[in-house]
């Protein structure tokens, strides 16, 4: 047998295998990994962009029990948008007390469910003041008390709610609770809300421009919404009248007295019967002026709109409440997207002149589509499209965005505007657009270079080929396949070399 001829044939076969392996490697080097599902992207990676529209969203109505970001759509359905609560805000939820519709608000007095102190027909008045049924927000019932518009110094009028059954136990432990919108308050006006006992002694809360709201008995001192007073009757001073026994026993009525000027007040809660306070939520606050909201307090007597950590921190009384005009700090960002048409990420190792980016194996070409959904029951304020400059500016080839793109395929969008110049300082947050309109689709496009490990971090675990429908590129980065090729190559090499050794050549 001519062993030299046999060896030559084996060498030729080896050369052919090497050529096939190299060719295959070149083909894979041009292949790409594509991610079309935004839910499979690891937005925690330092190489992944997560642009977002930060906004304050206001809902016409929020039902406690919904998710914070949910709202009622135009067809009455419950909508969960591609968004999340802005966790950079310590207190992302804004509420006004007189905008809350809850069953206990009109439950005083409790001895008869058909009666309510919020029912104007159950009040009596003297000349100069009137009472009427009203609302402080949609579906939030209230009692309006208003003078005739010509009150002057020395004038006085009273509206009275008389109880047909006195409150004759634990009077000192019960609380006076008032939620009010002050619509009109003359400079000289003085309003008293009195809880009166059986011999006309009374406890008083006041609305007066000359009083400080820091005082326990002061409900308000100016016009405005959402004033709350909750104070235990036993801790309030008692005004006694001539002939009384000087004690506060057997609550008989609630009186609203207006003196010396015009006033117009709408009350959504009137109660002198409850033991304990309404808990209106928890609020994070800065206890030591170090710039960090590191302590939590319970809100019981807010003024106007107040901000809390969430409606789940409100007391059980509000478990079935409806909140009108609730605001929430939200972000409509890439990490919240769940539709395949709204994201596209592709990697290639075609970097043009490889000397421009030494050490980087891939170019990532990524697209996102963001928007603020339009709906009758929501409105937006302070909307800004922002992004963080994740990488050094030299690594960006393209950063651009386009408005009004609807559902146009990313590669068919032609209205791109470059914002690459904004990405000049790694770690900065940049504002790309502050004039965003609801219902307008915005697309963003990035091209930048990444290392192999950064590429793997896009999916959180360095996924193998085929997980996203296409093989990953860069044959040296795809170790399992390379291993198969090399095994075949080495088998041939072993056969050839082994044959030579066996023949003593």
């Amino acid at each position: 047998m001519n062993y030299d001829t046999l060896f030559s044939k084996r060498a030729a076969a080896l050369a052919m295998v090497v050529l096939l392996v190299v060719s295959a490697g070149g083909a894979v080097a041009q292949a790409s990994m594509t991610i079309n599902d935004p839910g499979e992207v690891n937005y925690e990676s330092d190489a992944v962009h997560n642009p977002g529209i930060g906004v304050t969203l206001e809902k016409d109505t929020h039902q406690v029990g919904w998710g914070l970001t949910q709202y009622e759509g135009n067809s009455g359905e419950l909508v969960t948008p591609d968004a999340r609560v802005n966790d950079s805000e310590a207190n992302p939820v804004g509420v006004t007390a007189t905008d809350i519709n809850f069953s206990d608000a009109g439950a005083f007095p409790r001895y008869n469910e058909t009666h309510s102190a919020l029912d104007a027909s159950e009040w009596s008045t003297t000349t100069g003041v009137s009472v009427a049924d009203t609302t402080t927000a949609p579906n939030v019932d209230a009692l309006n008390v208003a003078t005739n518009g010509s009150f002057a110094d020395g004038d006085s009028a009273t509206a009275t709610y008389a109880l047909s059954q006195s409150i004759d136990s634990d009077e000192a432990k019960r609380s006076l609770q008032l939620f009010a919108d002050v619509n009109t308050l003359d400079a000289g006006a003085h309003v008293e809300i009195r809880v009166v006992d059986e011999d006309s002694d009374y406890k008083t809360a006041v609305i007066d421009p000359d009083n400080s709201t820091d005082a326990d008995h002061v409900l308000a001192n100016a016009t405005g919404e959402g004033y709350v007073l909750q104070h235990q009757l036993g801790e309030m001073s008692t005004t006694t009248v001539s002939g009384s026994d000087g004690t506060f026993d057997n609550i008989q009525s609630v009186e609203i007295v207006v003196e010396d000027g015009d006033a117009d007040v709408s009350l959504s809660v009137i109660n002198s019967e409850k033991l304990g306070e309404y808990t209106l939520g928890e609020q994070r606050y800065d206890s030591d002026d170090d710039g960090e909201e590191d302590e939590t307090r319970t809100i019981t007597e807010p003024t106007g709109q107040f901000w809390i950590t969430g409606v789940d921190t409100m007391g059980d009384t509000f478990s079935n409440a409806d909140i009108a005009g609730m605001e929430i700090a939200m972000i409509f960002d890439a990490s919240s997207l769940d539709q395949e048409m709204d994201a596209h990420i592709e990697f290639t190792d075609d970097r043009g002149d490889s000397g421009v980016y030494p050490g980087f194996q891939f170019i990532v070409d990524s697209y996102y589509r963001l928007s603020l959904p339009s709906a009758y029951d929501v409105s937006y304020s302070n909307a800004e499209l922002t992004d963080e400059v994740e990488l050094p500016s030299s690594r960006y080839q393209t950063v651009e965005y386009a408005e009004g793109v609807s559902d146009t395929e990313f590669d068919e969008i032609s209205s791109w505007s470059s914002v690459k110049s904004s990405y000049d300082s790694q770690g900065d947050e940049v504002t790309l657009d502050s004039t965003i309109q609801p219902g307008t689709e915005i697309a963003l496009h990035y091209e930048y270079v990444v290392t192999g490990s950064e590429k793997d971090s896009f999916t959180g675990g360095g996924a193998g080929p085929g997980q996203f429908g296409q093989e990953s590129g860069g044959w040296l980065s795809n170790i399992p396949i390379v291993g198969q090729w090399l095994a075949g190559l080495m088998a041939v090499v072993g056969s050839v070399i082994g044959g030579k050794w066996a023949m003593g050549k």
Side-chain angles (χ1 to χ4, degrees):
M1 179 180 293
N2 189 330
Y3 292 105
D4 289 333
T5 301
L6 176 60
F7 179 75
S8 297
K9 291 181 178 180
R10 291 184 176 180
L14 171 62
M16 181 62 70
V17 170
V18 171
L19 178 60
L20 290 172
V21 169
V22 172
S23 299
V28 173
Q30 298 304 318
S32 64
M33 182 178 88
T34 301
I35 306 172
N36 286 318
D37 185 347
E40 293 178 334
V41 180
N42 173 29
Y43 296 95
E44 299 299 318
S45 167
D46 291 338
V48 175
H49 279 269
N50 186 25
I53 303 172
V55 68
T56 301
L57 180 148
E58 180 179 341
K59 311 179 191 184
D60 284 357
T61 300
H62 176 86
Q63 294 182 17
V64 176
W66 290 355
L68 279 181
T69 64
Q70 293 180 311
Y71 59 86
E72 186 174 303
N74 292 347
S75 299
E77 77 284 9
L78 189 61
V79 174
T80 302
D82 292 341
R84 60 182 175 86
V85 177
N86 187 347
D87 54 16
S88 67
E89 297 289 340
N91 301 293
V93 177
V95 179
T96 302
T98 49
D99 292 347
I100 306 174
N101 175 13
F102 62 108
S103 58
D104 207 52
F108 173 76
R110 295 184 179 276
Y111 56 74
N112 190 322
E113 293 183 358
T114 63
H115 290 269
S116 173
L118 299 183
D119 187 346
S121 66
E122 298 183 22
W123 289 73
S124 61
T125 60
T126 62
T127 302
V129 68
S130 62
V131 295
D133 294 325
T134 189
T135 58
T136 49
N139 301 315
V140 181
D141 292 335
L143 177 80
N144 179 255
V145 181
T147 54
N148 58 18
S150 59
F151 253 42
D153 188 30
D155 290 337
S156 178
T158 302
T160 301
Y161 188 87
L163 300 174
S164 60
Q165 180 176 320
S166 65
I167 300 170
D168 57 6
S169 65
D170 296 320
E171 294 92 334
K173 296 179 182 179
R174 301 182 188 276
S175 294
L176 174 59
Q177 295 168 308
L178 304 166
F179 290 18
D181 288 352
V182 180
N183 309 308
T184 301
L185 187 65
D186 282 357
H190 179 79
V191 180
E192 293 188 359
I193 299 96
R194 300 173 179 175
V195 181
V196 185
D197 78 354
E198 63 182 355
D199 55 2
S200 299
D201 296 334
Y202 57 89
K203 309 279 189 174
T204 306
V206 303
I207 301 172
D208 191 315
D210 295 327
N211 283 254
S212 171
T213 53
D214 291 336
D216 289 339
H217 68 294
V218 177
L219 171 60
N221 61 2
T223 57
E225 297 184 347
Y227 289 103
V228 176
L229 181 143
Q230 299 192 84
H231 207 61
Q232 197 169 51
L233 292 172
E235 296 180 354
M236 301 176 71
S237 61
T238 302
T239 301
T240 59
V241 298
S242 177
S244 74
D245 61 9
T247 62
F248 188 77
D249 298 306
N250 297 327
I251 298 170
Q252 296 289 338
S253 64
V254 175
E255 296 179 352
I256 301 176
V257 181
V258 185
E259 301 172 328
D260 302 329
D262 282 311
D264 183 315
V265 180
S266 296
L267 296 125
S268 63
V269 172
I270 303 170
N271 197 338
S272 64
E273 193 173 12
K274 181 176 170 61
L275 296 170
E277 299 176 317
Y278 295 120
T279 298
L280 292 165
E282 292 184 354
Q283 183 182 78
R284 300 283 292 174
Y285 72 103
D286 183 0
S287 62
D288 51 11
D289 296 324
D290 65 353
E292 297 291 333
E293 290 87 354
D294 49 11
E295 296 289 339
T296 301
R297 59 189 168 203
T298 299
I299 301 300
T300 58
E301 290 189 317
T303 295
Q305 187 183 50
F306 57 98
W307 292 82
I308 55 178
T309 59
V311 295
D312 58 332
T313 65
M314 300 172 73
D316 291 341
T317 301
F318 303 99
S319 60
N320 295 312
D322 293 340
I323 304 173
M326 190 182 92
E327 295 187 359
I328 179 169
M330 292 171 58
I331 297 180
F332 291 75
D333 61 359
S335 67
S336 301
L337 297 172
D338 61 6
Q339 299 295 315
E340 290 191 0
M341 65 176 292
D342 291 333
H344 177 85
I345 300 174
E346 184 172 351
F347 299 87
T348 66
D349 68 350
D350 182 7
R351 295 173 294 114
D353 182 359
S354 60
V356 176
Y357 300 107
F360 299 100
Q361 289 79 45
F362 301 95
I363 286 181
V364 57
D365 199 13
S366 61
Y367 297 85
Y368 301 106
R369 190 191 320 269
L370 303 173
S371 68
L372 297 179
S374 178
Y376 293 127
D377 284 1
V378 298
S379 59
Y380 303 93
S381 59
N382 308 315
E384 285 190 339
L385 173 62
T386 63
D387 192 18
E388 183 174 339
V389 183
E390 300 288 353
L391 304 168
S393 60
S394 60
R395 292 173 63 177
Y396 291 99
Q397 296 181 334
T398 301
V399 186
E400 56 191 2
Y401 85 109
E403 293 184 283
V405 298
S406 187
D407 57 356
T408 304
E409 295 288 341
F410 290 123
D411 59 2
E412 296 179 0
I413 296 172
S414 60
S415 56
W416 296 109
S417 297
S418 176
V419 290
K420 182 175 177 292
S421 61
S422 298
Y423 287 68
D424 59 355
S425 183
Q426 185 178 12
D428 280 1
E429 183 177 274
V430 294
T431 299
L432 304 178
D433 193 347
S434 58
T435 59
I436 300 167
Q437 299 299 314
T440 298
E441 305 279 350
I442 298 173
L444 294 102
H445 175 216
Y446 308 84
E447 286 182 307
Y448 52 95
V449 291
V450 293
T451 65
S453 61
E454 286 174 335
K455 166 182 163 290
D456 291 342
S457 75
F458 269 68
T459 57
Q467 180 172 342
F468 302 102
Q470 299 187 33
E471 292 182 348
S472 61
W475 74 296
L476 289 178
S477 72
N478 201 329
I479 300 301
I481 293 178
V482 172
Q484 295 171 17
W485 291 335
L486 289 179
L489 174 61
M490 294 310 296
V492 175
V493 172
S495 175
V496 172
I497 295 175
K500 291 283 288 180
W501 286 345
M503 294 179 289
K505 297 290 186 177

